[in-house]
């Protein structure tokens, strides 16, 4: 364990080597809008508890989170006339992780993106039918930083690999978002999962397993480096960092137990 592990602060110092800082795969792609319902002419800006309960029950197979602050989340200089969002997570099927890196894994990855994109538009249509104005941030488009918006929604935290890690799915998930103008979403103000960052400062499993050395860590200044020009996660369906992650292998609760033990040992040494 590194003696420099800081349990009191959060490591956010990240150097990204990419054609566009904060971009996932270094490409600004665009997918067709498959909405079947138009935005309402006179949208409502408040939501009832009854509707939210029905909404969350209807889409209970997916992770749902809410944010009312989109500052600093958009990529490629995009800007949208929306101030809140509904964040959605979708579990990655085992087929992607079990496929060899290359065409097979890429095809499985793209299949999930297409399916999840259609689902996101379906959810958007449901919201429009109920009077809400929406804009879909497709899971494969790079209009918004999905890891950051999911963390802001308190659904989990960003790991050293740059991937989003949640209690339910670890790093094995894709994210999308639906931008809305709803002023009373049930946002959470405290994120209980930020300890994940601290554990990731100790763990280097994703760095060791990356076949392209796209991940590294500078111990002296606690800076994690993500070379997105080398990452083949999107281009070849690579999931080695996901498979190596303790949150995937052991689960959230067991990793948290280990974190507490190491943290307590560290505190006793002070």
């Amino acid at each position: 364990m590194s003696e420099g592990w800081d349990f009191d602060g959060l490591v956010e110092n990240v150097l990204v080597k990419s054609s566009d800082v904060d971009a996932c795969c270094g490409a600004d792609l665009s997918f067709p809008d498959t909405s079947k319902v138009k935005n309402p002419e006179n949208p409502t800006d408040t939501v009832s508890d009854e509707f939210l309960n029905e909404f969350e029950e209807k889409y209970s197979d997916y992770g749902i989170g809410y944010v009312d602050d989109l500052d600093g989340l958009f990529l490629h200089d995009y800007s949208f006339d929306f101030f809140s969002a509904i964040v959605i997570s979708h579990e990655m099927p085992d087929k992607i992780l079990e496929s060899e890196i290359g065409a097979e894994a890429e095809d499985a990855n793209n299949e999930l993106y297409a399916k999840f994109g259609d689902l996101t538009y379906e959810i958007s249509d449901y919201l429009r039918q109920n009077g809400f104005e929406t804009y879909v941030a497709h899971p494969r488009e790079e209009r918004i930083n999905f890891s950051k918006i999911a963390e802001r929604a308190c659904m989990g935290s960003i790991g050293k690999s740059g991937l989003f890690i949640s209690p339910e799915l670890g790093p094995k998930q894709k994210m999308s978002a639906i931008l809305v103008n709803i002023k009373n979403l049930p946002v959470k103000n405290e994120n209980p999962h930020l300890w994940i960052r601290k554990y990731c400062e100790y763990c280097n499993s994703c760095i060791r397993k990356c076949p392209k050395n796209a991940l590294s860590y500078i111990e002296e200044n606690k800076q994690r480096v993500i070379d997105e020009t080398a990452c083949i996660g999107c281009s070849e369906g690579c999931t080695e960092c996901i498979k190596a992650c303790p949150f995937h292998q052991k689960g959230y609760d067991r990793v948290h137990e280990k974190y507490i033990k190491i943290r307590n040992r560290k505190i006793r040494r002070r």
Side-chain angles (χ1 to χ4, degrees):
M1 182 181 71
S2 167
E3 291 301 318
W5 193 5
D6 177 11
F7 286 97
D8 300 317
L10 293 176
V11 175
E12 299 188 58
N13 191 13
V14 185
L15 174 63
V16 180
K17 298 179 181 179
S18 173
S19 58
D20 190 304
V21 174
D22 283 337
C24 173
C25 296
D28 180 17
L29 302 178
S30 180
F31 289 78
D33 184 336
T34 59
S35 300
K36 296 181 175 61
V37 179
K38 292 183 178 180
N39 267 315
E41 292 185 4
N42 298 297
T44 181
D45 61 359
T46 58
V47 63
S48 68
D49 291 340
E50 180 182 9
F51 176 80
L52 277 179
N53 289 335
E54 293 175 357
F55 174 77
E56 292 179 356
E57 182 177 354
K58 181 177 179 67
Y59 297 106
S60 60
D61 289 341
Y62 310 98
I64 301 291
Y66 307 99
V67 298
D68 60 3
D69 175 15
L70 303 180
D71 288 347
L73 296 178
F74 294 117
L75 304 173
H76 303 286
D77 296 322
Y78 279 106
S79 179
F80 299 94
D81 193 21
F82 290 87
F83 58 78
S84 56
I86 297 172
V87 187
I88 307 161
S89 69
H90 190 304
E91 183 175 10
M92 295 173 64
D94 291 335
K95 178 182 178 181
I96 297 177
L97 278 69
E98 294 169 355
S99 299
E100 290 188 16
I101 298 173
E104 182 182 354
E106 182 185 2
D107 287 345
N109 200 38
N110 290 338
E111 181 181 348
L112 173 59
Y113 275 125
K115 175 183 175 183
F116 190 19
D118 289 343
L119 170 70
T120 307
Y121 278 111
E122 174 192 313
I123 296 174
S124 170
D125 283 345
Y126 179 72
L127 292 167
R128 291 179 178 184
Q129 286 173 339
N130 285 274
F132 302 102
E133 183 182 15
T134 70
Y135 176 86
V136 168
H138 191 283
R140 185 60 180 89
E141 289 181 337
E142 295 187 347
R143 305 290 173 88
I144 198 164
N145 188 307
F146 290 117
S147 292
K148 286 185 178 180
I149 195 173
E151 186 174 82
R152 192 171 293 183
C154 301
M155 299 168 71
S157 187
I158 301 170
K160 185 178 284 187
S161 64
L163 296 175
F164 182 74
I165 297 172
S166 70
E168 299 80 11
L169 299 174
K172 185 189 170 189
Q173 61 195 305
K174 302 290 188 184
M175 313 297 301
S176 70
I178 300 174
L179 309 189
V180 293
N181 284 319
I182 302 176
K183 60 186 180 183
N184 66 328
L185 287 174
V187 298
K188 297 179 180 179
N189 297 316
E190 301 250 344
N191 189 339
H193 312 298
L194 293 181
W195 66 268
I196 291 174
R197 291 190 185 185
K198 301 177 185 180
Y199 181 85
C200 284
E201 188 181 339
Y202 158 80
C203 176
N204 289 301
S205 295
C206 58
I207 290 176
R208 290 193 297 269
K209 291 295 184 178
C210 180
K212 296 296 182 179
N213 296 317
L215 304 172
S216 59
Y217 188 68
I218 304 172
E219 184 66 36
E220 290 75 14
N221 58 5
K222 295 182 180 179
Q223 185 177 52
R224 58 186 174 95
V225 180
I226 303 174
D227 184 356
E228 291 173 346
T229 62
C231 177
I232 55 173
C234 291
S235 61
E236 297 186 43
C238 179
T239 57
E240 292 304 308
C241 58
I242 295 175
K243 291 186 288 187
C245 180
F247 289 94
H248 172 66
Q249 294 184 348
K250 300 178 181 180
Y252 182 91
D253 291 337
R254 286 186 61 188
V255 177
H256 188 249
E257 290 174 3
K258 183 177 180 180
Y259 162 74
I260 293 297
K261 290 179 181 178
I262 298 173
R263 178 182 182 274
N264 290 341
R265 287 201 301 267
K266 182 70 176 178
I267 291 174
R268 288 196 295 267
R269 291 175 185 172
R270 290 178 176 177

